Amino acid sequence: MQQQSSFDAVIVGGSYAGLAAGMALGRSIRRVLIVDSGKPCNAQTPHSHNFLTQDGNTPAAIAAIGREQVLAYPTVQIVHDEVIDVSGENLSFQLKTATGKQIAARKIVFATGIKDQLPAIDGFSACWGISAIHCPYCHGYEYRNLSTGLLVNGEMAFEKSRLIHNWTKQLTVFTNGEPTIADDQVRQLTALGIAVVPTPVQRLVHTSGHIEHIVLADGSTYALKALYAALPFVQHSTLLEQLGCELLDSGHVKVDGFQRTTVPGIYAAGDNAVKMRSVASAVAAGTTAGAFVNHELISEGL
């Protein structure tokens, strides 16, 4: 880290949102440190989509290009480490890392993402991000017109089914237990040719993460190519809550239009603060955060 321990901004998390924030700040000639633990949530995803100029590229390749371009700015540094403690206040934060580094920062951007809580279904974790997927805008085109399942219950089952029906008419809802979908919504789904199956899902049979069929608790099977799932999650970093940053009922960090949290001097960008999980959304949020960190530093400097 070239012995430097004081920065205008420290960015916690060096994936797409963090790198974008670093670029905006680097281009603002700010002294920036990006601390990245190297654990992106999409590490298992084979291809990234819906990001202009990079459609179909691998997540790792996109991140590698990002790091190379961000490090072209001489005031930006990246270290492989993990921030484990933060104290202080706006313009005077102190951070401690897992390797024992003590770092001072005027502003902090958390681009730490979220951690999906995977269901206890045999084979699910091996398929997550490959054929067990979360977003039709990210993956739907590749699985268009193919046999597809949706692992969800309640009101969300109705809304998600209508959405995914745009990409495939071969759709089955697996509520993984007693359905909590309203009767009139079940009738509407049935009219669209979407079956609702309450039997719990026991296993995903797959080859290298690509689903071949699923096995239910009663032994019955359904041939599928993809399974969408709306999963609960937790914040990947507990530091935001410890610092007093307010969370929304959804579990996301509450931010304003400039990516500022409810704690002065602390910003959040990427999956930890937005429902739309995509590389493009993360980059946009990170760019906004970086730009407004710089604006705030200028304002407070005056």
Side-chain angles (χ1 to χ4, degrees):
M1 209 165 61
Q2 302 174 7
Q3 304 305 311
Q4 186 174 336
S5 61
S6 181
F7 297 86
D8 292 317
V10 169
I11 299 168
V12 186
S15 196
Y16 314 105
L19 290 171
M23 177 171 283
L25 285 162
R27 291 184 58 80
S28 301
I29 325 173
R30 294 294 180 182
R31 293 171 294 113
V32 181
L33 177 66
I34 300 173
V35 183
D36 183 44
S37 63
K39 301 173 183 176
C41 67
N42 65 352
Q44 199 164 267
T45 303
H47 301 284
S48 178
H49 293 283
N50 240 12
F51 184 24
L52 199 62
T53 77
Q54 296 296 326
D55 188 55
N57 206 347
T58 67
I62 296 172
I65 294 168
R67 283 190 295 271
E68 179 183 3
Q69 293 183 346
V70 169
L71 287 174
Y73 295 93
T75 59
V76 181
Q77 300 175 43
I78 300 177
V79 294
H80 180 75
D81 208 336
E82 183 178 359
V83 175
I84 58 173
D85 187 60
V86 178
S87 59
E89 59 185 6
N90 185 33
L91 299 178
S92 184
F93 291 108
Q94 293 78 46
L95 301 89
K96 181 180 179 180
T97 74
T99 62
K101 292 184 177 69
Q102 301 286 340
I103 305 163
R106 298 170 70 190
K107 304 287 181 183
I108 303 175
V109 179
F110 280 91
T112 42
I114 57 177
K115 189 184 300 182
D116 294 303
Q117 304 298 285
L118 303 186
I121 296 173
D122 185 27
F124 190 95
S125 61
C127 297
W128 185 235
I130 302 171
S131 58
I133 49 182
H134 76 288
C135 171
Y137 294 102
C138 299
H139 307 283
Y141 188 82
E142 284 62 47
Y143 290 106
R144 66 194 183 279
N145 301 324
L146 298 178
S147 55
T148 299
L150 177 59
L151 185 68
V152 69
N153 207 345
E155 177 72 23
M156 190 178 292
F158 179 66
E159 296 300 332
K160 287 280 189 180
S161 295
R162 294 199 303 169
L163 173 66
I164 295 166
H165 191 257
N166 177 75
W167 281 269
T168 179
K169 306 302 182 275
Q170 300 180 57
L171 185 60
T172 304
V173 174
F174 299 93
T175 59
N176 207 32
E178 187 65 28
T180 57
I181 310 172
D183 291 343
D184 65 317
Q185 293 178 339
V186 172
R187 286 192 290 271
Q188 292 181 61
L189 294 180
T190 301
L192 290 173
I194 302 171
V196 177
V197 177
T199 309
V201 178
Q202 187 175 76
R203 183 160 55 103
L204 306 187
V205 177
H206 66 94
T207 299
S208 300
H210 295 277
I211 298 173
E212 297 172 359
H213 62 270
I214 69 171
V215 181
L216 304 185
D218 61 4
S220 60
T221 63
Y222 282 78
L224 294 179
K225 292 298 184 182
L227 179 67
Y228 287 91
L231 302 181
F233 67 87
V234 295
Q235 287 288 327
H236 195 272
S237 172
T238 60
L239 292 174
L240 284 153
E241 282 189 271
Q242 292 174 24
L243 289 164
C245 297
E246 184 179 343
L247 300 185
L248 300 172
D249 291 341
S250 64
H252 296 92
V253 184
K254 182 178 181 180
V255 294
D256 64 11
F258 304 140
Q259 304 299 136
R260 293 180 295 200
T261 71
T262 54
V263 174
I266 298 180
Y267 288 66
D271 292 350
N272 62 2
V274 67
K275 292 181 179 180
M276 186 68 176
R277 294 178 65 180
S278 72
V279 174
S281 297
V283 169
T287 301
T288 299
F292 281 94
V293 164
N294 181 60
H295 275 261
E296 200 168 70
L297 287 169
I298 291 170
S299 176
E300 291 169 340
L302 293 176

